[in-house]
Amino acid sequence: MEKTWRWFGKNDKITLPMLRQIGVEGIVTALHEIPNGEVWPLEAILNQKTYIETYGLRWSVVESLPVSEAIKYGGAERDNLIENYKKSLINLGKAGVKTVCYNFMPVIDWIRTDLEHLWEDGTSSLYFDKIRFAYFDCLILQRAEAEKDYTVNELKQMYELDKVITDAEKEELVDTIIIKTQGFVNGNIKNGDKNPVDTFHHLLAPYKGIDRDALRENLRYFLQAIMPVCDEYGINMCIHPDDPPFPVLGLPRIVTCEEDIAWILHAVNNPHNGLTFCAGSLSAGLHNNVPALARMFAHRTHFVHLRSTNAFPNGNFIEASHLGGRAHIIELIRIFEKERLGVPMRVDHGRMMLGDTDKGYNPGYSFHGRMMALAQIEGMMAVVNDESKLES
């Protein structure tokens, strides 16, 4: 697998020279300064690509070319937005950047309730607490009929939390769930928005009446429209699993499990319609056997995210060590090194450690934590390669 790293452009505090020193081979990035729905100009793509190559690296994967909300919910401007998307794909193809990771999650991408959950060793990681999320959903957002999505016991715990939670903790929940984890990557809500909860309500509104089947059909419509461009320019589209892999906030989720992935790949049965195999997102669902999914879908996987989680029966989950958790990363490496040799892979969501907290890095995207994870992955890759040599 090609060792890649998510880099947030020239303003990223983690620089390309730093990445060369730790063994990174390819860069995963995007033109984050261009608003969602606008065309990526060829000149801007070439400038970014040339800058990356100046440091002896290559632009391996676009993560991401965002799919506008109106495409997802089937708004009146959908076709115009898809035409812009196709123009951006054409320009990427002309520039020779041919792997595009994207998601089809309505309104909100990945969700956590704590960005710095403290471990006994002094490091910290991302964490999802279902009761605190229910508190945000029912008592802060006050979404209509939200309580129907939670059990009696979960609601009881939520109201117990309401007795002790502070105003600062409430503000932190809003900041974590709909601002910090979203705003740094073409999110719908940015730091500085005066009324983020009101803004969030407006973003949810167009999805009223959009169920799982409708969202699936809107994805099919989008993929059918862009596949001719992908065929012409050899572009691999790879959809990212939903994070977490279950419905949230009354919104449908359509990339959560084996059945979902199979539906997407067969709905538009084109080799350029593929998967970003995110082991972390998939492992956060107790219903998923992650290595089994890798064996099943390796042939249509164009990009791999290697991280792991520990998920619990109460609905909570936490980022695990890359050496542990439910993802079984060494087994995934065995599968992808055999089935998809050379596929781009990036480590993901490393812990905050050794001063990372003070550096202003984006949530989940530490330097030292991801560097340690990359070293662990390289070690596992070396083991797998030695196994292959012994077998032959």
Side-chain angles (χ1 to χ4, degrees), residues 94-291:
K94 288 178 178 178
V97 183
K98 299 191 175 185
T99 302
V100 177
C101 170
Y102 71 104
N103 76 70
F104 218 74
M105 290 178 263
V107 181
I108 193 166
D109 292 352
W110 55 288
I111 300 175
R112 301 294 186 274
T113 57
D114 188 349
L115 303 181
E116 296 182 15
H117 184 83
L118 195 63
W119 290 71
E120 289 184 359
D121 60 7
T123 63
S124 65
S125 68
L126 308 175
Y127 184 67
F128 179 86
D129 182 304
K130 190 172 183 181
I131 303 306
R132 295 183 82 83
F133 183 75
Y135 188 94
F136 167 81
D137 190 11
C138 298
L139 300 183
I140 296 177
L141 187 62
Q142 297 182 9
R143 180 174 60 87
E145 300 185 329
E147 292 193 358
K148 291 182 179 180
D149 291 348
Y150 304 96
T151 67
V152 171
N153 185 51
E154 287 167 348
L155 293 174
K156 180 181 177 181
Q157 293 179 68
M158 181 189 75
Y159 285 112
E160 288 298 319
L161 174 62
D162 188 40
K163 297 175 183 178
V164 297
I165 193 169
T166 66
D167 288 342
E169 289 175 313
K170 295 175 189 178
E171 291 176 7
E172 184 66 22
L173 266 181
V174 172
D175 198 40
T176 296
I177 293 171
I178 62 176
I179 300 178
K180 283 183 180 174
T181 56
Q182 312 299 318
F184 72 94
V185 279
N186 299 81
N188 291 315
I189 300 177
K190 303 290 185 186
N191 281 317
D193 281 0
K194 293 182 179 179
N195 298 297
V197 173
D198 289 343
T199 302
F200 197 63
H201 272 292
H202 289 303
L203 292 167
L204 292 173
Y207 286 93
K208 187 176 182 179
I210 301 294
D211 62 11
R212 185 166 175 264
D213 289 339
L215 190 63
R216 275 183 164 185
E217 289 305 318
N218 290 343
L219 173 59
R220 191 206 303 262
Y221 186 95
F222 167 71
L223 288 171
Q224 287 175 335
I226 66 171
M227 278 300 113
V229 172
C230 295
D231 289 336
E232 182 176 355
Y233 289 93
I235 294 173
N236 288 326
M237 298 294 298
C238 25
I239 194 166
H240 189 287
D242 300 330
D243 184 7
F246 46 78
V248 292
L249 300 170
L251 298 166
R253 296 287 214 178
I254 59 171
V255 198
T256 66
C257 61
E258 174 189 336
E259 192 269 338
D260 284 348
I261 297 169
W263 186 93
I264 292 164
L265 299 182
H266 288 114
V268 180
N269 195 9
N270 183 310
H272 296 301
N273 171 29
L275 176 67
T276 294
F277 193 94
C278 181
S281 297
L282 293 168
S283 66
L286 289 173
H287 55 281
N288 286 325
N289 179 319
V290 183

Side-chain angles (χ1 to χ4, degrees), residues 2 4-8 26-32 34 40-41 44-46 48-49 52 58-67 85 88-103 185-186 235-240 275-276 302-305 344 346:
E2 179 189 26
T4 70
W5 185 281
R6 192 172 192 186
W7 176 70
F8 296 99
I27 295 300
V28 177
T29 193
L31 300 184
H32 296 295
I34 298 179
W40 287 15
I45 294 168
L46 289 172
Q48 183 89 308
K49 182 171 181 279
I52 291 167
R58 84 177 189 102
W59 189 353
S60 303
V61 179
V62 172
E63 186 177 351
S64 65
L65 180 56
V67 179
Y85 203 98
S88 295
L89 289 178
I90 289 169
N91 289 338
L92 285 166
K94 288 178 178 178
V97 183
K98 299 191 175 185
T99 302
V100 177
C101 170
Y102 71 104
N103 76 70
V185 279
N186 299 81
I235 294 173
N236 288 326
M237 298 294 298
C238 25
I239 194 166
H240 189 287
L275 176 67
T276 294
H302 301 310
F303 185 31
V304 177
H305 288 182
R346 73 169 176 87

Side-chain angles (χ1 to χ4, degrees), residues 5-19 27-34 43-55 57 59 184 360-362:
W5 185 281
R6 192 172 192 186
W7 176 70
F8 296 99
K10 295 176 184 178
N11 293 326
D12 195 330
K13 297 177 185 298
I14 301 170
T15 65
L16 297 181
M18 292 166 67
L19 300 183
I27 295 300
V28 177
T29 193
L31 300 184
H32 296 295
E33 68 278 9
I34 298 179
E43 182 180 6
I45 294 168
L46 289 172
N47 285 343
Q48 183 89 308
K49 182 171 181 279
T50 300
Y51 181 81
I52 291 167
E53 290 172 349
T54 299
Y55 292 93
L57 300 161
W59 189 353
F184 72 94
Y361 300 143
N362 291 323

Side-chain angles (χ1 to χ4, degrees), residues 72-86:
K72 297 174 188 175
Y73 62 73
E77 63 271 45
R78 168 171 65 174
D79 289 339
N80 288 336
L81 289 165
I82 290 176
E83 286 304 309
N84 283 355
Y85 203 98
K86 288 160 68 175

